[in-house]
Structure formats: structure tokens, C-alpha cells
Amino acid sequence: MTDTLSDLAPEGRVHRRVYTDADVFAAEMERIFRRAWVYVAHESQVSAPGDFVTAHIGDRSVIVSRHKDGEIYAFANRCTHRGMKVCAARQGSKKRFVCPYHGWAFATDGSLIGVPHGKGYNGKLDPKDPALALAQVARIQSYRGFVFASDTPDGPSLTEYLGPMTRAIDNTVDRAPGGEIDIAGGGFRQRYMGNWKLHMENANDLMHASIVHASSVDSAQAVADELEDGAEDHALQMFKGNGLPLSAMDQVEIHGFAGGHSYMGGFYKEGPITQATNEDPVVAAYRTAMIESYGKNRAEDIMGWDTFNHLIYPNLILNPKHQQMRVLQPVSVDCTIVHSACFRLKDAPEKMYQRSIQFLSALNSPASQITTDDIAMFNNMQTAMDESDTEWVNMSRGLGHDQAHDDGGEIGEVGTSELPLRAQYTAWREFMRQQPR
Ligand code: FES
Ligand SMILES: [Fe+2]
């Protein structure tokens, strides 16, 4: 790979190799995922010493663990003996990590603490040798409970990297009357046979919704016509939201930032999703709790921020209003796993949490009528770009009409602008220009 990699994504278009070439994928794992701040865990998953999750920095598995000194550590999930994956569980609690192959034991900060039959090394193996510890990720930092890792010792701090996206995390946490959130249960995982960027590009693409999701829009409309209280159902609201006319989609604000981040304004306007009505008893109880905690004005500011899909480049999609997130795990150039989970808001009615699970199930579960349609697109785009020698992908919708915004980024002239895609490739070029470490 040469430093002409960035030429594969000039402004407004992208070469198909960016999605199909395994060498480009390998370069992305080195140059983007090792350098960026990559989301790896939420502190609620590792609240007590010994608690751990296994996460991914790009295509590499890491263990994120709370040690007895109270700190969170992240280290390679790869045994320093003969290369075995040390921990196969996705999360749990352990006193130590014991490699399943020959039993080497590692503390919850990654250091080597035990070698069975150590005398077989005739005194030539020193367990205290730092090279035998599980390899530490260079930097790990939290922002309001969201834990990010960057496997490069230098570069911007986490808050510099997040920039205006800190507001999305702030709003996610502030929506809890008790000021804390936790990932209470499990989540969904879905694998698709397509490049990781296809999902990131899709998430803030308002142009595709009414076309790709037409079948679920139609079926939701048919059901809503029959049900008097159809407006109370989250999935119905969402399916119908995707069917807004393009003229209405163009009214939605779409924001992009040079760091690759983006988000859009909310476009599900009816029913309990909007939390706009005091008539819904769950929302009314939630609103009361929020006002008690924050006062009326601040509570309404927090609840009134109507946005959708905050992409924190390169692997996190946050949805503060719907108390959920998605995390991308690139597996190979043509395979990606998407993890999704809900947040429980401390001191909010339990029913809020149940609603967010319903919403996530309708939007991002293997049974979702919406995600299934998107994944069909990703699979078929991957195959078509792989098979065809047509070189370029076009993403010029709205190019030249993006305007500077006082949040430090740009806002699309219309909601269907491909500004979020261009923002991702501005960051992509910047990362790919840098030589590997
Ligand atoms: S590979 Fe881990 S103990 Fe041998
Ligand atoms: Fe979609």
C-alpha cells in the first residue's frame, strides 16, 4: 500500500476498492482503528473489580477489564504463550484470565501471574517480563461513562477527538433523572456480508428511507388504519416515519464534521416516541422525575433535543432520545458485525426502558423489518461492487451547498444531502494519508 490510498476517495466520490480490496481494509485497521478513539465499553458493564467485556478495536479482540486498583485496562485478547484467544466470553467477572490452552494466568490488568509447570523453563522465563503481559492498548479514557480506546500513544485527547459529539453523550446521560445510565441487559448482534462503511454511510442517509423501507411503511400504514390506538405503538411510528415524503426529509437538519462524525434531526414526529405529550402516563411520570431533578427549563432542554443517529467515527452510533446505541465491528473487507444495546435511565419509569427495547427490536434486531431491508442493500452492494469493474461510487448529492454551522461543522442545505458521507471520507482521507506506526 502506498500513500496514494487517500486518492481513492476524492471529494464527492469513492473508488470501489475502498469497499472490496482486502489491502485497503488492512490499511484501515492500522491507520484508522488503531489511531482513532474507538468505543469499547460502557462503565456500567465493568463497575466492580474483575468485571470485563471483550470488545474490538477494528478487527482485533481486546479485553476491557476493571482491575482491583479501580482502573479500567484494555489489553490484547491474545495469549503471549502460543497465541490463543484468552477469553471467549463477551462479558462477565473474573479474578484472573486463565488461557484455555496451557493455563497461563493473567491478572485483570493483563499482567502474567501464573505459568503451570514453570520449572520446565529452567529459570529462563520471567513472568514479570513486561513482554509476557497481555499487550496493553496505548490509551484508554472515559467520557461520562463511555469508554474509548486509542492504540496510539500520541494524538488528540478523547474530548478533543469527540469535539461537538460530546453533546450527544451528555444528552444521553442527562436524560436520566438520576444522572446515570447503564447497559442493563444484553443486546442484539447481527452480521452482514458487506463492508463496515456501508452501515455508517446508511445511518444518516435520509434519501434511502422511503425507498428501501417502502414495504414496512406500507404495512405500518395498513395496520395503523385499522388500529384506533396505532399511534401508541413505537414500531408503527418508526415505520411510518420512514415514509415521510422527500420534501419533508429535506426539512430535517443534517450535520457533518471534519472528524467524520455526523447526526441528523429527529423525524419521528408522532406519538410517545416524541415524549411531547403529558397525556401518556409513562411520559408524564418521566417528565415529573426530570423536572424534579433538573428544574423545568433544563429538563425541557434535555428532553427537547430532537435528533437521531449520532455517528461518532469510526464505530459508534448513539441515539440519545431513544436510549440506545449501535457499535460496529469490522470483521473483514466484506463482513461486519453490528452490536446494539439499550440504556436504562436511572430513576426513570421502568416502562421507558421497555419502550427502548421495543424500539430497538423494531429498528435493529434480526427480526426488524427495517434492518433486514438495509442489510439486503449492503449484501447486494458488496457483491455488485466486487463483481463489476465500474470504478466509482458517487456521493455528490448536495456537494457545494453544505454550509458552515456555528457548532463547528457543516449543515446540509437539504436533509437528503450526502454531507454525512463526505464528512466520513474527509476523516478517512486524513487517517489514510498517515503512514502506519
Ligand atoms: S497459548 Fe495460552 S497458555 Fe499456551
Ligand atoms: Fe435504512
Side-chain angles (χ1 to χ4, degrees):
M1 283 287 114
T2 67
D3 55 4
T4 56
L5 273 171
S6 58
D7 296 344
L8 294 174
E11 193 171 40
R13 61 186 189 145
V14 173
H15 196 278
R16 74 183 183 96
R17 280 181 54 207
V18 166
Y19 305 95
T20 60
D21 186 332
D23 289 340
V24 173
F25 178 83
E28 289 176 338
M29 295 304 104
E30 278 296 317
R31 299 184 185 197
I32 300 177
F33 282 85
R34 283 206 163 192
R35 284 209 168 89
W37 282 100
V38 174
Y39 171 84
V40 288
H42 189 264
E43 282 188 13
S44 63
Q45 297 173 298
V46 288
S47 53
D51 290 354
F52 73 90
V53 294
T54 46
H56 285 81
I57 298 181
D59 57 352
R60 292 181 310 137
S61 176
V62 294
I63 299 172
V64 180
S65 157
R66 175 88 63 180
H67 191 50
K68 60 187 178 201
D69 63 2
E71 299 294 318
I72 298 173
Y73 291 79
F75 38 85
N77 190 5
R78 186 275 194 205
C79 184
T80 46
H81 179 217
R82 296 251 294 276
M84 179 67 183
K85 180 174 276 192
V86 175
C87 181
R90 286 205 294 283
Q91 73 180 88
S93 189
K94 283 184 190 292
K95 286 198 165 59
R96 63 186 70 84
F97 296 97
V98 178
C99 179
Y101 202 179
H102 313 93
W104 283 25
F106 299 89
T108 48
D109 63 354
S111 54
L112 179 62
I113 52 172
V115 176
H117 288 289
K119 60 179 184 296
Y121 289 97
N122 304 312
K124 296 214 170 66
L125 184 131
D126 175 11
K128 296 213 162 28
D129 179 355
L132 295 176
L134 301 179
Q136 296 286 328
V137 175
R139 292 187 294 169
I140 183 152
Q141 235 178 309
S142 294
Y143 182 81
R144 298 201 67 186
F146 288 74
V147 185
F148 292 81
S150 170
D151 204 11
T152 183
D154 43 33
S157 70
L158 175 59
T159 45
E160 282 168 344
Y161 182 84
L162 293 172
M165 303 311 282
T166 52
R167 186 179 175 195
I169 296 178
D170 288 338
N171 189 259
T172 303
V173 181
D174 291 343
R175 281 178 185 269
E180 282 176 32
I181 59 172
D182 70 277
I183 298 183
F188 295 116
R189 282 183 306 156
Q190 270 183 289
R191 186 174 64 168
Y192 66 85
M193 301 315 290
N195 189 269
W196 65 278
K197 298 184 295 298
L198 295 174
H199 187 107
M200 292 295 270
E201 293 164 15
N202 174 268
N204 279 338
D205 172 7
L206 275 166
M207 186 63 212
H208 86 284
S210 65
I211 298 163
V212 170
H213 304 302
S215 63
S216 54
V217 170
D218 289 348
S219 52
Q221 192 56 57
V223 174
D225 290 345
E226 285 170 22
L227 292 179
E228 240 175 53
D229 61 352
E232 296 299 308
D233 187 280
H234 275 53
L236 277 186
Q237 291 305 318
M238 184 169 25
F239 291 174
K240 283 165 62 188
N242 281 335
L244 286 176
L246 287 175
S247 56
M249 292 295 193
D250 269 342
Q251 302 304 311
V252 177
E253 283 193 5
I254 193 102
H255 296 258
F257 301 89
H261 319 308
S262 62
Y263 72 95
M264 57 187 171
F267 59 100
Y268 300 137
K269 297 294 183 195
E270 300 173 54
I273 291 175
T274 65
Q275 298 168 5
T277 166
N278 278 323
E279 287 156 29
D280 180 290
V282 178
V283 173
Y286 172 61
R287 184 178 295 269
T288 302
M290 285 293 283
I291 291 172
E292 273 171 16
S293 293
Y294 293 101
K296 191 166 187 297
N297 290 346
R298 173 97 177 100
E300 281 181 357
D301 272 359
I302 295 167
M303 292 186 293
W305 198 38
D306 185 16
T307 61
F308 200 75
N309 280 358
H310 293 254
L311 266 66
I312 299 183
Y313 195 78
N315 77 326
L316 175 64
I317 303 175
L318 256 190
N319 235 325
K321 187 171 171 180
H322 303 290
Q323 298 114 47
Q324 52 204 250
M325 68 169 175
R326 270 171 278 167
V327 181
L328 264 77
Q329 176 194 337
V331 176
S332 62
V333 71
D334 57 0
C335 181
T336 307
I337 296 175
V338 184
H339 304 253
S340 52
C342 294
F343 303 114
R344 180 185 272 137
L345 309 179
K346 188 176 180 194
D347 297 339
E350 184 65 10
K351 191 91 175 138
M352 294 284 292
Y353 181 55
Q354 290 164 11
R355 284 183 175 179
S356 74
I357 294 170
Q358 281 173 0
F359 191 86
L360 187 68
S361 303
L363 181 63
N364 282 120
S365 76
S368 160
Q369 286 171 274
I370 294 180
T371 293
T372 340
D373 285 337
D374 283 324
I375 283 182
M377 298 297 134
F378 305 156
N379 291 347
N380 289 343
M381 287 166 83
Q382 189 73 29
T383 310
M385 288 193 287
D386 214 15
E387 290 170 352
S388 161
D389 53 10
T390 304
E391 292 188 73
W392 292 95
V393 171
N394 185 299
M395 40 188 74
S396 65
R397 190 176 170 82
L399 179 63
H401 293 262
D402 307 326
Q403 290 144 13
H405 193 265
D406 57 16
D407 61 7
E410 291 184 307
I411 184 165
E413 187 178 53
V414 291
T416 58
S417 169
E418 285 169 334
L419 163 65
L421 284 69
R422 290 190 289 275
Q424 286 168 45
Y425 283 100
T426 300
W428 191 90
R429 281 192 298 274
E430 200 50 44
F431 277 114
M432 297 303 261
R433 269 192 205 109
Q434 302 170 32
Q435 292 301 316
R437 300 176 315 145

